[in-house]
Amino acid sequence: MAFDYDLFVIGGGSGGVRAARVAAGETGAKVGLAEMDRYGGTCVIRGCVPKKLMVFASAFPGMMEDAREYGWTVEAGGLDWKAFHARLAGELDRLEGIYRKLLAGPGVETFDARARIKDPHTVELSTGQTVTAKHILIAAGGRPVRPDVPGAELGLVSDDIFHMDALPNNILIVGGGFIACEFACILKGMGANVTLFYRGDQILRGFDDEARDLVAEEMRRKGIDIRTGTNVAELSDGYGGVLVKDTNGAEMVYEKVMFATGRSPNTHDMGLEEVGVELGRYGEIVVDAYSQTKVPSIYAIGDVTNRVNLTPVAIREGMAFVETVFRGNPTPVDHELIPSAVFTQPELGTVGLTEEEAKKQEEVEIYSTSFRPMQTSFIDRADKVLMKLVVSKATRKVLGCHIVAPQAGELIQMAGIAVKMGATKEDFDRTVAVHPTMSEELVTMRAPVR
Ligand code: NDP
């Protein structure tokens, strides 16, 4: 049977664009792609990229304060949000243009449309067109979700933050994960008063406890009001803002409320279950190690599968899909030892097992040091960084590395190579320190602390 396309991709984010352009450009496949919003997806348009630019923007007041302490005469003014925002919008337009070109170059045909699956080889588009394809790849991503509380629609989600007309003077952020903590630091740095409600005992659940504690301590030191054991009970319009009743019975008015309470896979109303694609309990598409769904011609990658929801992982999954389906080389995706970073201030970089996870698995030695970095101890700032290794007693392998420090995202990328290679504590030790740096501590910790 002749199909319109060898591959039709649903979703023009990081994973979908990579799979489409590699399949078309390197294997000669005829490829179509539908995107209902902007090309580049969550990461480029309403996630990693604009977020990181906001991290940069928010760091200047701290730098100016430090500069003064170092002897510079610096006049600190406020942030001109409109100017920053206009530049940010321009940058996103530029990047979206690049993504469109990346697809057009190798001849991928794009459709600015929402797609729905009609049968295992047919996709219906919101433009009224119907296309057929030998393989369909779903890379539709995810979206932020609001909790089920009265008045939840009064709260913003991360997508909305990039479209604010003005910076709020005060904001309540609900949640304690990546997005909540990153935006708490960004908005505080930009000048807002920030309160963060987290329903559990400590923010950043799932990360190493010592690292979580230090990030929380540093966020509080910057003036972020973190309230653990607290959630929103009800929101209503009032007093020129949002009146929030919390689960401890207190009431407070915030100019804005932002929910960072998790994300949900974009699988609703796509015709998936009707054609036999299995969905999991969070609405994610269930796939095997090769990203294949229960319907042999339909594959899925990225956040829509809710495996490890990170851009570089979606890209890896896209590449493995092309290798498997278009190069005849079945390639499972390696989801082990993925380094990642939370772009709080300071950042948290992590790879491998936390101390808590490792201890459940085997006997471990913990090498950990927390200290005041040279750059800021010079000006008597009380901030601290953390360098930590979790080491297997039996194999001596470094099972986990956790860094809380400025630029921890950059540092963990390098440490991630060593950990992925299976480096032992002794391999770290025989590496000569780069002095004076913060990360030299990773190769100079002599005795375990536990
Ligand atoms: P996370 O899953 O990281 O965090 C969600 C937070 O919301 C948790 O603290 C959770 O609490 C809390 N929560 C969930 N439901 C409710 C509720 N009903 N009421 C109150 N609190 C609730 O999701 P994010 O939205 O922060 O980020 C989504 C994903 O995006 C991340 O997991 C990550 O994979 C990716 N991401 C990565 C970034 C990076 O690499 N730097 C940056 C941003 C996002 P609890 O812990 O109790 O469950």
Side-chain angles (χ1 to χ4, degrees):
M1 178 178 166
F3 297 106
D4 298 332
Y5 296 99
D6 299 314
L7 170 66
F8 197 86
V9 180
I10 301 177
S14 307
V17 168
R18 176 62 67 93
R21 72 183 178 88
V22 174
E26 294 181 18
T27 76
K30 184 159 193 256
V31 182
L33 181 148
E35 166 58 55
M36 62 187 242
D37 200 317
R38 298 184 64 183
Y39 287 74
T42 299
C43 172
V44 176
I45 303 296
R46 51 194 163 266
C48 323
V49 171
K51 179 275 307 286
K52 190 83 189 271
L53 291 168
M54 285 178 78
V55 169
F56 293 141
S58 71
F60 287 104
M63 287 184 205
M64 284 187 270
E65 222 175 88
D66 291 359
R68 269 195 300 275
E69 295 290 331
Y70 267 84
W72 287 90
T73 308
V74 184
E75 293 294 327
L79 172 70
D80 182 345
W81 169 259
K82 282 205 158 60
F84 170 72
H85 192 252
R87 198 168 187 132
L88 183 64
E91 178 64 358
L92 300 188
D93 289 348
R94 187 183 73 84
L95 293 173
E96 185 180 9
I98 290 175
Y99 271 74
R100 283 186 184 267
K101 274 201 200 121
L102 283 173
L103 290 168
V108 177
E109 288 175 31
T110 53
F111 299 84
D112 290 2
R114 186 170 200 280
R116 237 183 146 270
I117 293 186
K118 192 175 167 206
D119 68 44
H121 295 284
T122 309
V123 175
E124 288 175 329
L125 300 174
S126 53
T127 51
Q129 290 155 289
T130 297
V131 295
T132 59
K134 186 165 184 211
H135 301 285
I136 296 170
L137 177 68
I138 305 169
R143 63 185 187 289
V145 288
R146 291 177 169 80
D148 188 16
V149 293
E153 69 284 355
L154 296 171
L156 307 173
V157 290
S158 57
D159 293 0
D160 306 318
I161 292 287
F162 305 114
H163 302 295
M164 292 186 302
D165 291 334
L167 267 183
N169 291 313
N170 71 71
I171 186 164
L172 168 67
I173 296 179
V174 185
F178 279 82
I179 297 180
C181 295
E182 289 180 346
F183 276 100
C185 293
I186 288 169
L187 294 167
K188 181 69 194 170
M190 287 184 166
N193 285 316
V194 178
T195 306
L196 185 145
F197 283 2
Y198 176 55
R199 62 185 178 180
D201 294 340
Q202 184 57 290
I203 58 170
L204 295 170
R205 182 168 63 83
F207 289 89
D208 186 88
D209 280 355
E210 220 176 341
R212 299 162 74 192
D213 288 349
L214 183 55
V215 173
E217 189 184 320
E218 288 297 317
M219 285 171 66
R220 285 197 166 107
R221 216 177 45 76
K222 285 195 158 60
I224 297 166
D225 182 3
I226 300 177
R227 300 192 196 164
T228 53
T230 309
N231 204 349
V232 286
E234 194 180 330
L235 280 67
S236 54
D237 247 332
Y239 307 97
V242 184
L243 175 64
V244 176
K245 202 180 272 181
D246 73 28
T247 45
N248 302 323
E251 285 188 351
M252 180 79 189
V253 177
Y254 295 92
E255 198 178 312
K256 297 275 184 216
V257 174
M258 172 188 168
F259 290 112
T261 45
R263 296 176 61 86
S264 191
N266 281 331
T267 49
H268 58 291
D269 190 29
M270 283 185 68
L272 294 172
E273 282 172 305
E274 292 89 321
V275 295
V277 171
E278 186 188 346
L279 299 185
R281 62 188 281 228
Y282 301 106
E284 77 278 14
I285 296 179
V286 177
V287 289
D288 66 12
Y290 302 95
S291 299
Q292 191 172 29
T293 71
K294 287 277 171 345
V295 180
S297 59
I298 303 179
Y299 288 72
I301 56 165
D303 288 8
V304 80
T305 62
N306 199 26
R307 285 175 281 181
V308 180
N309 298 335
L310 298 170
T311 293
V313 176
I315 291 172
R316 286 291 171 106
E317 290 167 357
M319 295 294 282
F321 159 78
V322 173
E323 196 62 32
T324 301
V325 176
F326 289 95
R327 290 203 179 100
N329 175 27
T331 304
V333 184
D334 178 5
H335 288 110
E336 292 298 311
L337 294 173
I338 295 170
S340 69
V342 188
F343 293 98
T344 40
Q345 294 162 22
E347 296 174 4
L348 163 55
T350 187
V351 62
L353 298 179
T354 66
E355 178 178 343
E356 297 71 36
E357 287 165 343
K359 276 180 173 162
K360 280 188 204 142
Q361 184 179 295
E362 61 184 280
E363 271 196 68
V364 289
E365 283 179 357
I366 304 299
Y367 295 83
S368 172
T369 174
S370 185
F371 56 95
R372 290 172 69 191
M374 185 180 186
Q375 187 178 349
T376 46
S377 70
F378 176 68
I379 53 176
D380 257 346
R381 256 220 261 129
D383 60 332
K384 277 201 194 141
V385 299
L386 171 76
M387 301 286 154
K388 176 166 180 175
L389 297 175
V390 179
V391 177
S392 162
K393 259 193 181 166
T395 66
R396 304 301 299 152
K397 273 191 184 169
V398 175
L399 304 173
C401 175
H402 310 281
I403 302 176
V404 178
Q407 304 293 320
E410 303 288 346
L411 301 175
I412 205 68
Q413 180 70 81
M414 297 294 107
I417 299 172
V419 175
K420 185 78 185 166
M421 288 176 76
T424 60
K425 175 68 170 67
E426 286 63 36
D427 290 326
F428 273 67
D429 291 350
R430 64 196 173 83
T431 306
V432 174
V434 178
H435 183 75
T437 62
M438 295 176 291
S439 50
E440 67 180 298
E441 297 290 332
L442 289 176
V443 298
T444 56
M445 289 186 282
R446 286 278 154 257
V449 291
R450 293 186 276 286

